Amino acid sequence: MNFQVFLDVGIVALRAILPIYAVVIVYQCFASARRHRRPEKPLVTLEIEATGQKVPVLFWENSIGRSKGSDICVADMAVSRDHCVLLRRQEGWFVSDIGSKFGTFVNGEPAKGRTKVNIDDEITVGNTTFTLKRGDEYQRKLRPSWFFSKASDKGSLQPYKLMLLITFFQLFMAVEACFSNDRQDFLPLAFFGGLAVIEWAFFCISSYAFNRVNFEMEALALFLSGIGVMIGVRQNTVSAPDAGFRMALVQLISMTVGIILFSFIVKFIEKPDRVDSLRMYIMIAAVILLGINIVFGTVTNGAANWIRLGPITVQPSEFVKVAFIFVGASALDHLQTKRNFIEFIAFSAICVGALAFMGDFGTALIFFLTFLLIAFMRSGDFKTIILALVAAVFAVILVLNIKPYVADRFATWGHAWEYADDNGYQQVNAMIYTASGGLIGVGLGNGYLKYLAASESDLVFGIVSEEMGLIVGFTIAAAIVAMCFYARAITTRSRSTFYSITANCAAGMFVVQAALNILGAMDILPLTGVTLPYISAGGSSMIACWGLIAFIKAADERTYAAKRRPVAEKADDTPDEDEEIYPGTVMIREPLTREAAEKRGGRR
Amino acid sequence: MKRIMRRSYLVLFVALAFFGGICFLAFRVVTQSSTWIQHPYNGHALASDGLASAGEITDRSGTKIAYNEDGQRRYHDDEATRRALMHVVGDKSMQVTTSIQNMYRAELTGYNFLLGMGLPSSLKSNRDVQLTVDSDACKAAYEALGDHKGACVVYNYKTGEVLVSVSSPTYDPENAPSYEEIEDSEWYDGVYLDNVLSSTYTPGSTFKIITAAAAIENIPDIFEREFECDGSIEIGGNPINCTDAHSKYGKISFEEAFAHSCNVVFAQLAIEIGPEKMKETAEKMGFNSDKVRMSGIPIAKSYYNADGADENTLAWTGIGQGFGDYEDRANPLRMAMIAGAVANGGRAVSPFIVEDDGSLADKLGIDKNKDGDTDMLKPSTATQLQKLMKAAAVYYDSSYGIKVGDLPFCAKTGTAERGDGKAETAWFVGYSEDANHPYAFAIVVEEGGSGATAAAPVADAAVSALVS
């Protein structure tokens, strides 16, 4: 056995290990996310004065009303369907009337805006009066959620061990890339060094400076970004021998910027109400950004979605994505105001319209689908969704009439092989090379898809599958799906509906993007030229993805746990190993008698 | 919060829809990846990791007909043989989609779904593929075709081995003409098509084998009957003439009508049998179906349709000259299979061309072609058809001196009119009766004129080469 065969065996072995390794990392990230839950005890309880019945308050923000969907449902005709919101902030508990007919009273005084409620204070809605009591006065057991693992289960990986796994994965990728067919040098190792330094610095700051216990979402994003960087290193082509170096450098730098943006957003939205006051400014900034883009935009691939700033080009629409999620959500008591919602619809229309005007239909589609998600999350109203869809159909017909070339893309859809020399060229190439990679890939840098123009963004799934194998390709897709499950599982554990909505919609946006990118390249959906989160080449996209995952991070109440501890009213924040409980609603079936209500100062 | 939780099912739904899409993609990749990688755009296949590391292709005697030397794909030493085998083996252009180098690329290059195409050449498990063809006989057939376009296929009707498969026009794979040359030249029109597998022609009088089979099975006294032929008959207001060399007018038996290819008699028979029975017989013999494949390589569908045809049209379809919606189309390999079924007592053995592709099935001796065999004819019908084709062969021998490798043979000629002003398509379909040389053949010579003079010599050349 000569040396070449020896080396070949080693490289192929490495290639075979990497996919399994990738699966392990993604699994560990989510296994870890399922752990370390605080026990599901009620935060406080409401005692009905007339009957002494105790109602657990399970969430940070609770709607009180007559409608069945309310968190605390009061079957009292004097209570409006959506009456008021009981919410918890760092300063304590508040009650906020949301346009009820007969008003909400705290200790007999009508509540205007957010009114502080202390333990043993009385809250009156309609004919019902509650007394705010401590959480540990409620003893009943509740249904546990399937997502969170039981305390008795085997412990998950420590965050630093997860980081070690990822670092070694990236080292292996770098070693493999060093021995690529058309170029052998140690450039990939240099990039590995850069990655490792940034990742560990980020990890240390997160765990020691911010005292954060969990690191799963960051780890996942680092894992995905690392694949993007390492794929980039070897994207050199015959005509551009240093394209790989530049691409990897852009990915690495934008990852760093992304991490900074991530940290900033997590910090910035620590107080959910701060965002509410800044909503208008964010909206205006986003619209100005899009305006600048329209005026100064450079046309690339038929879409004028770039602006040039000296040596760098940026894609403002990527940053507007982050702003879009920001603006879409609110705290529960502000969510249902009409003004808030109309502002959001107007903002969405401007964004989608501006993007369509620029010719960036792929991003316009992402915005539109995300708009549908947010609109539904806010209103729960199918009518709104249908209305929006109808409007969209008209818009599409209009676009197809004005710009008929857009229709050509759809004509190819599902028939890429018949148009292999023409409009199906990109999809056909992506499919050929996806198949050529097999399950474990041909090795980093050994692919041919990289020679195709723009393949490193639109067809990047093909590159990943060709060079690293289908297993890695599908693992990335699975990671994004799992992100949705996670975002959904923490919905009711979030500190505000602002977090629940932003986290779900950010995860939804990732899925929409991944679906359009992966299934578009594989001719299952029309090819729209959108980026695959974290993997696709492009600094703006990378930074925006880090911005988006900040919302998922912030929705997990553990993120701010260390800071909250001193002002918490009770010991319910300590993560002791208790059983996990799924929140449910407790209905109060019997309203108070009229006499009892009158006695307590209720009107009617 | 509870409401938000419930509404977030929409996000979950979107995620699950995406997951469903990914599963669909996985299914597609698993089932279609070996087709996808064969596309000519595939850089892995064209570059040094593609054919340059592919296994050898050998003919039945072990002669190399495609192999690698110094990183180059090389073909047979003799130019005429290379040309004769170009459609079977394929070439660098990958344009002949039914060729072995296209269809068996995965086997040749050692591609498998697990490892992809990226294995270093030191570790590649490329396999050799052995074919059933005889390269000398292919060369003889190619040379006998001369400068005519057409096809020649000979296969063993007992075992199914394809021995000769030649398609013209062709070119030398080692000196392939450029795309421009191919585009500009009328001669190269259809050069990427293997006429044996992928073309269909108007069958002309060779279709009388099928009409005769229908007559034997549906008209009990067919052999006792006496027909009248004066060279022409008017059916549905249109005359049908006996155009073939026809020395016998007047009273004529069924047997004589077949040997002399009497259009008048067969036109009347088609009408008597009726469209349903005609179609039923044709479909039993494999028309209107593309189910059978040759070693996994698709065979073009042959067509016969008589549903709702008027008498005149039905008469034309019965002599293999249907037109418009009722056009008869026959694939050469399909006709050879029909001849083979007649010889084989009604059982058509599916043809195969790959002797050994190094696969596990081959190593275990599993016959991959077994389930493709069909019963085309009743044994009694086959015996009667043998007699008819024998009488025809005797007639050809005595009138035109036609021999097929000096073996006792049975056959039917065809001279199909094209309807576009060009000379007729010449057909010769039949089989050898020799037990040691059980060969069924079909030869098509485009613009060849008479089947007996243009197509029969090709069969003789091919079978002679096989016998020697």
Side-chain angles (χ1 to χ4, degrees), chain A residues 8 15 59 61 67 71 82 376-378 380 417 420-421 431 433 435-436 438-439 448 466 470 488 494 515 585, chain B residues 1-5 7-8 10 18 25 29 36 39 41-44 47 111 113-114 116-118 120 122:
Chain A
D8 287 347
R15 251 189 246 165
F59 314 127
E61 293 182 342
S67 79
D71 298 317
D82 297 304
F376 183 73
M377 291 283 288
R378 293 179 60 125
W417 293 97
D421 303 325
M431 284 189 270
Y433 291 118
S436 298
L439 287 183
Y448 282 86
E466 182 189 17
L470 268 176
R488 216 189 83 80
S494 300
T585 310
Chain B
M1 287 301 242
K2 212 177 65 176
R3 278 204 195 111
I4 304 288
M5 180 69 172
R7 290 170 195 163
S8 67
L10 185 67
F18 171 57
L25 172 64
V29 170
W36 290 357
H39 196 278
Y41 286 155
N42 195 339
H44 294 288
Y111 170 81
F113 182 64
L114 187 67
M117 297 186 85
S122 63

Side-chain angles (χ1 to χ4, degrees), chain B residues 107-127:
Chain B
E107 283 79 1
L108 282 166
T109 54
Y111 170 81
N112 66 53
F113 182 64
L114 187 67
L115 298 170
M117 297 186 85
L119 275 188
S121 38
S122 63
L123 303 177
K124 244 183 187 154
S125 60
N126 52 7
R127 298 199 208 128

Side-chain angles (χ1 to χ4, degrees), chain A residues 399-412:
Chain A
V399 165
L400 292 184
N401 275 319
I402 300 168
K403 301 190 171 177
Y405 70 88
V406 179
D408 292 347
R409 288 200 158 184
F410 291 92
T412 323

